[in-house]
Amino acid sequence: MHSKASYATASGLKESIRAARGEQKSQLVVRNIHWLDVFTGVFRQGSIAVHNGFIVGVVADEMAPDASGPYEGEVTVDGAGAYLVPGFIDSHVHIESSLMTPLRFQQAVLPCGTTAVIWDPHEIANVKGKSGIRWALDASEGLDLDVFVMVPSCVPSTTPAMGLETSGATLFAEDLREFVDHPRILGLAEMMNFPGLLFGDDDVTAKLLMYGKKRLDGHCPGLTGKDLNAYGVAGIHSCHESTSLGEAAEKLSKGIHVLIREGSCAKDADRLLPLINAYTSATVGLCSDDRNPADIAEGGHISCIIEKSLRLGQKPEDIFRAASWAPARMYGLRDRGAIAPGYRADFCLVAPKGHQSRSAGARVAAWTEGFEVKAVYKSGRQVDAEGLRRVASEAGDKGDQARDLLTQGKNLNLPLPTSQTFLVPARPGSQKSVKVRVIGVRPGQILTDHLQAECASDGLEILANPPMDILKISVLERHHGTGQVMTAFVKGFGLKSGAIATSINHDSHNVIVVGTTDELMARAVNNLCEIDGGIVVVAADGSSEALPLAIGGLMTNDEPAAVTEKLRGLKKLAEQCGCVLDEPFLQLSFLALPVIPALKITDKGLVDVSEFKIVSVQL
Amino acid sequence: MHSKASYATASGLKESIRAARGEQKSQLVVRNIHWLDVFTGVFRQGSIAVHNGFIVGVVADEMAPDASGPYEGEVTVDGAGAYLVPGFIDSHVHIESSLMTPLRFQQAVLPCGTTAVIWDPHEIANVKGKSGIRWALDASEGLDLDVFVMVPSCVPSTTPAMGLETSGATLFAEDLREFVDHPRILGLAEMMNFPGLLFGDDDVTAKLLMYGKKRLDGHCPGLTGKDLNAYGVAGIHSCHESTSLGEAAEKLSKGIHVLIREGSCAKDADRLLPLINAYTSATVGLCSDDRNPADIAEGGHISCIIEKSLRLGQKPEDIFRAASWAPARMYGLRDRGAIAPGYRADFCLVAPKGHQSRSAGARVAAWTEGFEVKAVYKSGRQVDAEGLRRVASEAGDKGDQARDLLTQGKNLNLPLPTSQTFLVPARPGSQKSVKVRVIGVRPGQILTDHLQAECASDGLEILANPPMDILKISVLERHHGTGQVMTAFVKGFGLKSGAIATSINHDSHNVIVVGTTDELMARAVNNLCEIDGGIVVVAADGSSEALPLAIGGLMTNDEPAAVTEKLRGLKKLAEQCGCVLDEPFLQLSFLALPVIPALKITDKGLVDVSEFKIVSVQL
């Protein structure tokens, strides 16, 4: 699969050669286009011929004409002067963050021009361990979208021995051995535990050695100098976590390929795109990492980074090369990323956007106004959004049955809470007002502040203070039925009355809930348990909204449009409850990630991330 | 071996990480240099650290300094402001054409900056078949120079069924199966039989399928249009046979990587180098193909192409990238081609050449005046020409013993000829003057002309006409003892008296001899048999020179300087005999290659290459 046009049979090879020589019609000819020659970095006017899913011929009008004339196709498409570029590759994505199954994800991204993705199924692996990875491989097999997989390297996010959280699974090096030879597995996913790597942690080292002949993806925000050298020495070949141009430039100069990310939360494209030029269009890739369905529907997928690049005035040759050929080379995907004979016929017809010229009154096309994807072809067939929808709707085996494979029971395995569940006990002898630690939410960031506040106490418990936006937040272990619950305080949601609960909760994906009263919090979690995972908002007036995520409490096989619509309903109700955050569910679901400073909450306790230790609520 | 810094043991990985972090001294630090960042295409001022054969750290002075200070090395080298670039890769070479064993070849090319080569052992395979390939693998194992091997695809050059020549061996697809999984074999060597590919020849097809997951090298001079598309469709990824810029540009645009060649005979660099720019420095490679020891000693190896590029005013960043990173990526050699942590410490210290400035009187360095290789490091150790010489001289197992492995008998297995052997019979009833076909040698080309001439005849035999430069030329089968001999006429050597004989004779490597009398021809071949293969010149006065090539009649394990000296002696004697050709031995050894137009001679007969058939000497 990873070789340029490697054939299974002699007859297949001979047929492709005959089509290339024009001895028989090709199945498809696209003429009157400018195709991107990624090898020389120029657009060439001409045509291409496609047969059995591969490009069999390219013709550049400027070059010597073939005596035998143009290619004849069973189907001929007039490209109307459009630009034909290789299909885009998302070089690092967690499909789970789209809230969709791979079948629904392809329905959303293929029409945007993405024809291959490199998936780190880290979320489902945190919930379901090896079964989750097996499900990811199964659910992404044989799709129109080509899904390659990196094996999650850090499940859970913190070393289990630290005891900071309860995850659904723990994956040690030996657990990953069964995946190392899978043909669609390209290597080890983002090595977030870069301290473990640098300090020679044995399990991290064993994982690096086990996957050393494949690709080792990185994740090293802010790493620099000698430590960055050491990260590269270990064989790490990429990082998608640069947030400044200088950081990205240092990584690239050290052989760590930069993957420019534009997700729903983390948006780096504007800052990093200036890195791209003729040289680096061979060494820099693009990725989405975490992108929710609404953003894909409204802003596109990898296409949104290309759009930004073009609007910055960068050369289309460069950004389209970085979107396709560069990642294909980085990941050893030799059959794709170019418009040339023997390459997979994955391509997009694109055109610069236009404006009305004042003087001539005519429409003037300019890449600097962005671009539009006019048609997408995967393995030689035009992508048909309606057909993808139908396939996804009908495919029980990739949706509902996959759920059975995963669950062997419910997604949410916890005792149903009551309002008593969320009581925060006061230290014996406490005064009427006590000082507590408070998680300070920063809008639009996953970093938090480590705040303090005064809260009322009756001597037995500590009360929240909704008028001052000091709300209770609680994490309930949901994988093993331990009934373990931790409750503390948070500031920044701005809820006036109501509660939000979700089973998406990075990376261990326990249940997390925030609310103005213990009763509403209990109701929200009970509702969440009823739908067996997803996102729930309840208001004081009894109204509620819910997005069920049947697969692991993370994903659904529902229509992308329906998911987006439900997300909008949830958000609207949260706003009505007073929530001041633009992305309340995303922000809530990162409050339990104990590797991001400063103060986080897990089912085990309140975590001071700067010290990697559990601290008390009450000071 | 092909992964970026893939480690055998945890302790090895941990030690490299400690060195990278500066927790322990690196074995080597090179400071005060400009190292080439191939990922961004710029030189960066700073230093590098090397440990256990790999680069463990790079430091760019312009970037944020590391709080822990500079790297400390057990050995520190002051680069004195020189430029540090990745070791050069010869992306297509027949080591046999150097007349040297791999051990002697490395002695010649490592000091020129070449740290890896991709060898097609096509010549020895034509002589010895699978044993030849096994010998090539054995003789190139564990050298300082990294030798990768492509399995010869076309042994012999013409399809055996055509009956045009007798080769030492015939390799069908099944013969090549034993090599497909060898770790140093990167794929199938130059597919010269492109007609066979295009017309679906079963054995060619089987070879392409067998090696389809590795690399398939091409060889398609002049192929264009749809046929070139078909060649790419079959999976061919490279060609080193372009002779015009337009031809090269079309190939590259179709995904056939262009390898710019500068051999001893075929010199394409001046015409093709304009192809190289920032984009194509990632997709174009450099190669020597066939380069004799004198040219390597005098003009360098891959370095000579770099020199030409710089003198053309091309950017050093581009040509040094094309000399290293580009071919490493093309051939999947992930551990080399860059100056970055985790890459093999194969690099050169180079500097632009200088001139005396008229105004300032100072020395001004300018790349446009070329460059010099000041030092070469292979796997972190400085290349020591004297050490390489000693190793080669002492290594019986790679030289003399390898010969035993190969021969199981003599290289030259033919009845000793007498002057009678070279009689050219006249057709019964011939006149005193008969019309004959004559091979017309073109100086500096391997193409020949199909000439005619009148020659005297006594009715029994046809006589040569040395005063008119119509000499006898003869090919004697030497592999199977058949005693098969073919004699005809050639024009262009200009010999006045004397004979030249050699066992290097592409591709079947039978014995070929040209001379002014039958007696001198017999003496030359007898001398050649005495030394069991090589090159011989005999003069009418009895003087003679010989270069014995003990290994297959093609190579020797002698000193490169001694080989060059003997070649000079041979050439001088040929000149004294009146030879007017600059490269008499090279030109002679291509006169039996029946795939290059127009008229050639094999042991089976005179071959009209335009018709691929054997024709009579006498018209």
Side-chain angles (χ1 to χ4, degrees):
Chain A
M1 170 184 297
H2 305 170
S3 306
K4 178 184 164 196
S6 151
Y7 297 88
T9 64
S11 62
L13 169 55
K14 289 181 183 181
E15 182 177 329
S16 293
I17 288 174
R18 282 196 303 274
R21 300 190 76 215
E23 292 175 350
Q24 66 175 72
K25 279 188 178 179
S26 294
Q27 287 159 350
L28 171 70
V29 169
V30 187
R31 60 180 200 83
N32 190 17
I33 39 110
H34 299 80
W35 53 271
L36 181 60
D37 166 2
V38 298
F39 303 99
T40 24
V42 296
F43 281 108
R44 299 189 185 276
Q45 190 165 350
S47 57
I48 72 163
V50 171
H51 198 73
N52 286 344
F54 284 83
I55 297 169
V56 293
V58 296
V59 177
D61 294 345
E62 87 220 61
M63 290 179 175
D66 200 293
S68 63
Y71 279 106
E72 285 183 38
E74 290 169 15
V75 175
T76 298
V77 172
D78 185 337
Y83 293 76
L84 192 148
V85 298
F88 314 143
I89 297 174
D90 188 341
S91 47
H92 175 71
V93 62
H94 306 286
I95 292 181
E96 301 96 314
S97 294
S98 74
L99 312 182
M100 296 184 276
T101 57
L103 264 177
R104 290 301 186 180
F105 179 73
Q106 77 166 353
Q107 181 186 339
V109 304
L110 264 173
C112 301
T114 304
T115 54
V117 303
I118 297 171
W119 180 16
D120 171 10
H122 167 87
E123 313 307 344
I124 193 68
N126 263 282
V127 173
K128 294 291 175 184
K130 288 195 276 188
S131 305
I133 301 173
R134 288 187 204 118
W135 172 84
L137 288 166
D138 185 55
S140 60
E141 181 75 42
L143 304 194
D144 284 5
L145 179 73
D146 286 331
V147 181
F148 300 98
V149 175
M150 304 296 281
V151 168
S153 65
C154 304
V155 175
S157 65
T158 53
T159 306
M162 296 170 79
L164 293 182
E165 60 185 324
T166 306
S167 62
T170 300
L171 295 180
F172 296 104
E174 280 310 312
D175 296 309
L176 307 186
R177 192 177 292 281
E178 73 171 87
F179 303 108
V180 76
D181 291 323
H182 191 287
R184 272 196 297 123
I185 285 186
L186 304 183
L188 195 65
E190 48 180 337
M191 177 46 71
M192 296 185 286
N193 189 2
F194 56 86
L197 179 153
L198 296 176
F199 294 107
D201 176 273
D202 286 332
D203 190 57
V204 169
T205 303
K207 286 170 177 168
L208 295 172
L209 288 175
M210 188 181 289
Y211 280 81
K213 297 227 184 288
K214 294 199 161 187
R215 266 69 180 176
L216 306 175
D217 272 347
H219 163 120
C220 58
L223 203 66
T224 182
K226 288 177 183 158
D227 282 347
L228 184 57
N229 282 334
Y231 202 54
V233 159
I236 304 289
H237 85 126
S238 75
C239 177
H240 56 274
E241 289 287 344
S242 299
T243 51
S244 76
L245 190 57
E247 181 184 359
E250 184 185 351
K251 284 176 183 163
L252 188 56
S253 78
K254 290 179 171 174
I256 311 279
H257 296 291
V258 171
L259 310 179
I260 299 179
R261 169 179 60 184
E262 191 76 357
S264 285
C265 240
K267 296 176 192 293
D268 307 317
D270 283 332
R271 285 185 305 279
L272 301 190
L273 279 169
L275 194 62
I276 290 187
N277 59 32
Y279 292 105
T280 58
S281 62
T283 57
V284 167
L286 312 178
C287 73
S288 68
D289 202 356
D290 301 290
R291 200 161 166 87
N292 70 36
D295 283 350
I296 294 171
E298 289 158 21
H301 187 231
I302 294 304
S303 52
C304 84
I305 311 179
I306 299 170
E307 176 87 5
K308 279 174 179 280
S309 167
L310 294 171
R311 287 178 178 273
L312 285 173
Q314 296 190 305
K315 287 185 70 180
E317 293 87 342
D318 294 356
I319 189 67
F320 284 119
R321 201 183 192 219
S324 57
W325 190 70
R329 298 286 85 64
M330 283 174 214
Y331 286 92
L333 304 171
R334 292 174 52 210
D335 61 346
R336 66 193 67 217
I339 305 300
Y343 283 78
R344 203 165 280 277
D346 298 353
F347 55 84
C348 311
L349 283 168
V350 301
K353 279 192 190 140
H355 66 274
Q356 210 68 23
S357 163
R358 285 193 187 189
S359 53
R363 194 167 170 280
V364 177
W367 291 109
T368 50
E369 301 198 19
F371 83 116
E372 53 186 329
V373 177
K374 299 168 82 78
V376 181
Y377 287 78
K378 178 71 192 73
S379 296
R381 288 184 309 165
Q382 189 169 0
V383 166
D384 160 25
E386 175 54 26
L388 293 173
R389 193 199 63 73
R390 201 166 47 240
V391 168
S393 299
E394 289 166 3
D397 59 331
K398 302 283 174 180
D400 295 341
Q401 287 186 20
R403 185 189 164 189
D404 299 339
L405 170 82
L406 268 177
T407 52
Q408 293 127 21
K410 292 172 122 185
N411 290 320
L412 266 51
N413 182 9
L414 72 166
L416 291 180
T418 66
S419 57
Q420 292 303 307
T421 305
F422 304 105
L423 184 144
V424 180
R427 205 174 285 134
S430 289
Q431 304 296 309
K432 284 192 173 176
S433 175
V434 299
K435 191 174 268 184
V436 295
R437 291 185 165 88
V438 176
I439 300 168
V441 175
R442 294 187 185 182
Q445 293 190 33
I446 63 175
L447 290 168
T448 64
D449 293 310
H450 187 153
L451 306 177
Q452 296 184 7
E454 293 283 339
C455 280
S457 172
D458 61 2
L460 293 172
E461 63 170 317
I462 306 173
L463 306 177
N465 187 352
M468 295 300 291
D469 192 24
I470 308 288
L471 306 181
K472 281 191 181 170
I473 184 162
S474 193
V475 174
L476 302 90
E477 194 279 314
R478 65 116 154 163
H479 303 294
H480 311 290
T482 60
Q484 190 146 279
V485 179
M486 176 66 200
T487 304
F489 298 98
V490 67
K491 183 178 176 66
F493 280 89
L495 287 177
K496 296 303 171 200
S497 74
I500 307 171
T502 179
S503 53
I504 306 171
N505 189 9
H506 298 280
D507 286 341
S508 289
H509 299 294
N510 287 307
V511 166
I512 191 163
V513 58
V514 63
T516 54
T517 70
D518 297 354
E519 291 72 20
L520 287 170
M521 289 170 77
R523 198 189 302 164
V525 175
N526 275 275
N527 287 8
L528 191 68
C529 289
E530 265 170 44
I531 61 171
D532 200 26
I535 308 174
V536 163
V537 178
V538 296
D541 65 5
S543 60
S544 70
E545 294 281 347
L547 169 62
L549 298 172
I551 298 167
L554 300 176
M555 287 167 277
T556 170
N557 199 41
D558 280 358
E559 277 288 340
V563 175
T564 301
E565 194 51 41
K566 279 186 183 161
L567 266 181
R568 288 203 184 104
L570 284 161
K571 206 164 155 183
K572 194 172 165 197
L573 186 58
E575 274 171 26
Q576 286 167 1
C577 292
C579 184
V580 296
L581 296 171
D582 283 342
E583 294 287 352
F585 316 118
L586 270 175
Q587 297 231 256
L588 182 60
S589 57
F590 277 101
L591 292 183
L593 184 60
V595 293
I596 306 284
L599 190 63
K600 295 283 169 112
I601 181 172
T602 73
D603 65 306
K604 293 278 187 79
L606 203 56
V607 181
D608 180 337
V609 181
S610 61
E611 310 242 321
F612 275 113
K613 70 172 189 191
I614 288 177
V615 293
S616 64
V617 175
Q618 188 176 351
L619 282 156
Chain B
M1 171 185 295
H2 306 169
S3 306
K4 178 184 164 194
S6 152
Y7 296 88
T9 63
S11 62
L13 169 56
K14 289 180 183 181
E15 182 176 329
S16 293
I17 288 174
R18 282 197 303 275
R21 300 190 75 216
E23 292 175 352
Q24 66 175 71
K25 279 188 179 178
S26 295
Q27 287 159 351
L28 171 70
V29 169
V30 187
R31 61 178 198 83
N32 191 17
I33 40 109
H34 299 80
W35 52 271
L36 180 59
D37 166 2
V38 297
F39 304 100
T40 24
V42 296
F43 281 107
R44 299 188 185 277
Q45 190 165 351
S47 58
I48 71 163
V50 171
H51 198 73
N52 286 345
F54 285 83
I55 297 168
V56 293
V58 296
V59 177
D61 294 344
E62 86 221 63
M63 291 180 176
D66 200 292
S68 62
Y71 278 105
E72 286 183 39
E74 291 169 14
V75 176
T76 298
V77 172
D78 186 336
Y83 294 75
L84 192 148
V85 298
F88 314 142
I89 298 174
D90 188 341
S91 47
H92 175 70
V93 62
H94 306 286
I95 291 180
E96 302 96 314
S97 295
S98 75
L99 312 182
M100 296 184 275
T101 56
L103 264 176
R104 290 299 186 182
F105 180 74
Q106 77 166 354
Q107 180 186 340
V109 304
L110 264 172
C112 302
T114 304
T115 53
V117 302
I118 297 172
W119 179 18
D120 171 11
H122 168 86
E123 313 308 343
I124 193 67
N126 263 282
V127 173
K128 293 291 176 184
K130 288 194 278 188
S131 305
I133 302 173
R134 289 186 204 117
W135 173 83
L137 289 165
D138 185 54
S140 60
E141 181 76 43
L143 305 195
D144 284 3
L145 178 73
D146 286 331
V147 180
F148 299 98
V149 175
M150 305 296 281
V151 168
S153 65
C154 303
V155 175
S157 66
T158 53
T159 306
M162 295 170 80
L164 293 182
E165 59 185 324
T166 306
S167 61
T170 301
L171 296 180
F172 296 103
E174 280 310 314
D175 295 311
L176 307 186
R177 192 178 293 283
E178 72 171 87
F179 304 108
V180 76
D181 292 322
H182 191 287
R184 271 194 300 123
I185 285 187
L186 304 183
L188 195 65
E190 49 178 338
M191 177 44 72
M192 296 186 285
N193 189 2
F194 55 87
L197 179 153
L198 296 177
F199 293 108
D201 176 272
D202 285 332
D203 190 57
V204 170
T205 303
K207 286 170 177 167
L208 295 172
L209 289 174
M210 189 181 288
Y211 281 81
K213 298 225 183 291
K214 294 199 161 187
R215 266 69 178 176
L216 305 175
D217 272 349
H219 164 119
C220 59
L223 203 67
T224 181
K226 288 177 182 159
D227 282 347
L228 183 56
N229 282 333
Y231 201 55
V233 159
I236 304 290
H237 85 125
S238 75
C239 177
H240 56 274
E241 289 287 343
S242 299
T243 50
S244 77
L245 190 56
E247 181 185 358
E250 184 185 350
K251 284 176 182 162
L252 188 56
S253 78
K254 290 179 170 174
I256 311 281
H257 296 291
V258 170
L259 309 179
I260 298 178
R261 170 180 58 184
E262 191 77 355
S264 285
C265 239
K267 297 176 191 291
D268 307 316
D270 283 332
R271 285 185 305 279
L272 302 190
L273 279 169
L275 194 62
I276 290 186
N277 59 32
Y279 292 105
T280 59
S281 61
T283 57
V284 168
L286 313 178
C287 73
S288 69
D289 201 356
D290 300 291
R291 203 163 165 86
N292 70 37
D295 284 349
I296 294 171
E298 289 157 22
H301 187 232
I302 294 304
S303 52
C304 84
I305 312 179
I306 298 170
E307 175 87 4
K308 279 175 178 278
S309 168
L310 294 171
R311 287 178 177 271
L312 286 172
Q314 297 192 303
K315 288 184 70 179
E317 293 86 343
D318 294 357
I319 190 67
F320 285 118
R321 199 184 194 219
S324 57
W325 190 69
R329 299 286 84 63
M330 283 175 212
Y331 287 91
L333 303 171
R334 291 173 55 211
D335 60 347
R336 67 192 67 216
I339 304 300
Y343 283 78
R344 202 165 282 278
D346 298 353
F347 55 83
C348 310
L349 283 168
V350 300
K353 282 192 188 137
H355 65 274
Q356 209 67 23
S357 164
R358 286 192 186 187
S359 54
R363 194 169 170 280
V364 177
W367 291 110
T368 50
E369 301 196 20
F371 83 116
E372 53 186 329
V373 177
K374 299 168 82 79
V376 181
Y377 287 78
K378 179 69 191 75
S379 297
R381 287 185 310 166
Q382 187 167 1
V383 166
D384 159 26
E386 175 53 27
L388 292 173
R389 193 199 64 72
R390 201 167 46 243
V391 168
S393 299
E394 290 166 2
D397 59 332
K398 303 283 176 182
D400 296 341
Q401 287 185 21
R403 183 188 165 191
D404 299 339
L405 169 82
L406 265 178
T407 53
Q408 291 126 23
K410 293 172 123 184
N411 291 320
L412 266 51
N413 182 9
L414 72 166
L416 291 180
T418 66
S419 58
Q420 293 303 307
T421 305
F422 304 105
L423 184 145
V424 180
R427 205 174 285 138
S430 291
Q431 306 296 311
K432 284 190 170 174
S433 174
V434 299
K435 191 175 270 184
V436 294
R437 290 184 167 89
V438 175
I439 299 169
V441 174
R442 295 187 185 181
Q445 293 190 34
I446 61 175
L447 289 169
T448 64
D449 293 309
H450 187 153
L451 306 177
Q452 297 182 5
E454 293 283 338
C455 280
S457 171
D458 60 5
L460 294 172
E461 63 169 315
I462 306 172
L463 308 176
N465 187 353
M468 296 298 292
D469 193 23
I470 309 288
L471 305 181
K472 281 191 183 172
I473 183 163
S474 194
V475 174
L476 303 90
E477 194 279 316
R478 65 116 154 162
H479 302 295
H480 311 291
T482 60
Q484 189 145 277
V485 179
M486 175 66 201
T487 304
F489 298 97
V490 67
K491 184 178 177 68
F493 279 88
L495 287 178
K496 297 303 173 200
S497 74
I500 308 170
T502 179
S503 53
I504 305 172
N505 189 10
H506 298 279
D507 287 340
S508 289
H509 299 294
N510 287 307
V511 166
I512 192 163
V513 57
V514 62
T516 54
T517 70
D518 297 354
E519 291 72 21
L520 287 170
M521 288 170 76
R523 197 187 307 162
V525 174
N526 275 274
N527 286 9
L528 192 67
C529 289
E530 264 171 45
I531 61 171
D532 200 25
I535 308 175
V536 164
V537 178
V538 297
D541 65 5
S543 60
S544 69
E545 295 280 346
L547 169 61
L549 298 171
I551 298 168
L554 301 176
M555 288 167 278
T556 171
N557 199 41
D558 280 357
E559 277 287 340
V563 175
T564 301
E565 195 50 40
K566 280 188 183 159
L567 265 181
R568 287 202 185 108
L570 284 162
K571 208 163 153 181
K572 194 174 165 198
L573 186 56
E575 274 171 24
Q576 286 168 358
C577 292
C579 184
V580 295
L581 296 171
D582 283 342
E583 294 287 352
F585 316 118
L586 270 174
Q587 297 231 254
L588 183 60
S589 58
F590 276 101
L591 292 183
L593 185 58
V595 293
I596 305 284
L599 190 64
K600 295 284 168 114
I601 181 172
T602 73
D603 65 307
K604 293 278 187 82
L606 202 57
V607 181
D608 178 339
V609 181
S610 61
E611 310 240 324
F612 275 116
K613 69 173 189 192
I614 288 179
V615 293
S616 64
V617 176
Q618 187 176 351
L619 282 157

